[in-house]
Amino acid sequence: MTHRPLPDAPRAHPEVFAGRPPEPAPGDVDPAVLAALLQRHGWQRRGGAPGRYGRWTPPGPGGAGTSLLVPVSRAFPDSDDLLGEALDALARSGTPSAREVLVSLAVPSDEIRWWRDAPSGGPGGSLPWTADERLRGAARRMLLAAALATRARAGYYGARHRRPATALLDQVLVGAAVDGGCLTAFVPVATARVLAVRLQQALYAAREAVDYRRATGGMDAFDGAVRAGVSREFTEALIALVEGTEGARVAVQWAPGAGVPEGCAADGEPVEFSPGDLPVLREAGARYLRAEPAVAVVLTGTVVRMRRAA
């Protein structure tokens, strides 16, 4: 028997870069943006001619063997040559951060990072193979909840707005490497920045509502948090991220060349959640489900067989 897939069957995770990362053209790269991305991803500036270029080395103890010369501007005749050499060195580098820098240069993007501080269960601090799957699953659920909030505000969406929200996720790029329980998604500024904006606003609102509940016992803050994008779907994503860990964090960092969106925090500091927040998040999700009013729907179908009793 052959089964047809359901129309709204879950799709695969957003696109994952495999193999060689995309390489931007040197003429399209702003040296200031490249320097900002290197600094964001932990690269160290170690000298260089003041006012002309900086020498950057990758993070970690093995970074001394690789270095990039990045001009401070395009005001010098050799700027394009230096940028081309820097991009080629990034493409050949085995450092995971080099790959992420190239992605952000090729597709100017806001970056969203998730961390799960899962207790190590194997030798040498190794994690079970399911840890990667749980991290990716929770991250995708959070992106979908934020995408739903770009369509409308609701405490519980159910099946509403699923198709356009899922289509928005198709714009998102996800890094292939998960290092130490960290996952990075790249949200293109040109087509999907609203997704990163809504996710950051929902994160801060959820954190404040949880703190208010734990401090005062009141759930009123969750009612106001709906306007920022918090919903049952969002609380369930947070629960999936935090369960089985010692804590979890989410950070949104804006594309250096695009600036900070209006009404958003600029610092990019992670928003943290702990296992102690789980009872409040579950209570909030149940509250959203109870409070959301029923919505009238119209079902249209075709009669393919009818039998009438004699």
Side-chain angles (χ1 to χ4, degrees):
M1 180 181 295
T2 302
H3 296 276
R4 290 182 298 175
L6 294 174
D8 288 323
R11 300 187 184 184
H13 290 292
E15 181 178 348
V16 176
F17 279 120
R20 191 177 180 88
E23 295 183 32
D28 297 333
V29 174
D30 183 340
V33 170
L34 174 55
L37 288 171
L38 290 171
Q39 184 176 26
R40 170 182 295 178
H41 289 273
W43 289 60
Q44 301 293 320
R45 179 167 179 169
R46 303 182 185 277
R52 290 184 60 88
Y53 62 82
R55 183 178 297 276
W56 295 82
T57 58
T66 303
S67 66
L68 309 177
L69 288 179
V70 179
V72 298
S73 72
R74 292 187 170 277
F76 307 102
D78 60 348
S79 294
D80 279 352
D81 292 336
L82 290 176
L83 287 171
E85 293 172 2
L87 294 176
D88 186 60
L90 285 171
R92 290 184 284 102
S93 174
T95 306
S97 61
R99 185 188 195 92
E100 295 187 347
V101 169
L102 284 175
V103 173
S104 290
L105 288 173
V107 184
S109 304
D110 300 319
E111 299 177 23
I112 304 172
R113 285 185 175 79
W114 294 265
W115 293 268
R116 294 182 83 244
D117 300 326
S120 58
S126 60
L127 297 172
W129 67 271
T130 53
D132 179 10
E133 183 177 317
R134 295 186 67 177
L135 174 59
R136 287 184 176 275
R140 189 181 192 282
R141 292 176 70 173
M142 188 174 295
L143 286 172
L144 179 59
L148 289 168
T150 67
R151 306 295 302 179
R153 302 293 194 278
Y156 173 57
Y157 293 95
R160 289 177 291 170
H161 308 299
R162 290 277 169 166
R163 288 183 183 275
T166 303
L168 184 59
L169 294 196
D170 290 340
Q171 308 295 321
V172 179
L173 310 174
V174 179
V178 178
D179 183 16
C182 177
L183 178 67
T184 303
F186 302 87
V187 182
V189 172
T191 58
R193 171 164 260 200
V194 63
L195 175 61
V197 169
R198 191 65 62 237
L199 190 143
Q200 191 199 60
Q201 292 174 343
L203 281 171
Y204 279 101
R207 180 67 266 171
E208 291 173 1
V210 169
D211 291 341
Y212 184 83
R213 171 66 175 87
R214 297 183 68 175
T216 68
M219 294 290 290
D220 298 346
F222 279 102
D223 296 335
V226 172
R227 293 191 296 271
V230 181
S231 62
R232 175 180 172 85
E233 286 79 3
F234 196 82
T235 59
E236 288 181 334
L238 285 172
I239 291 169
L241 184 68
V242 175
E243 272 187 329
T245 73
E246 298 170 352
R249 293 161 288 152
V250 188
V252 179
Q253 295 179 305
W254 309 112
V260 180
E262 184 179 356
C264 293
D267 55 16
E269 288 297 314
V271 181
E272 300 186 19
F273 294 87
S274 70
D277 299 325
L278 291 175
V280 180
L281 291 170
R282 293 191 180 100
E283 183 181 3
R287 177 187 175 92
Y288 285 139
L289 181 60
R290 290 193 306 268
E292 188 65 24
V295 178
V297 298
V298 176
L299 297 179
T300 303
T302 302
V303 177
V304 296
R305 180 179 298 177
M306 179 180 294
R307 185 175 63 182
R308 178 180 297 175

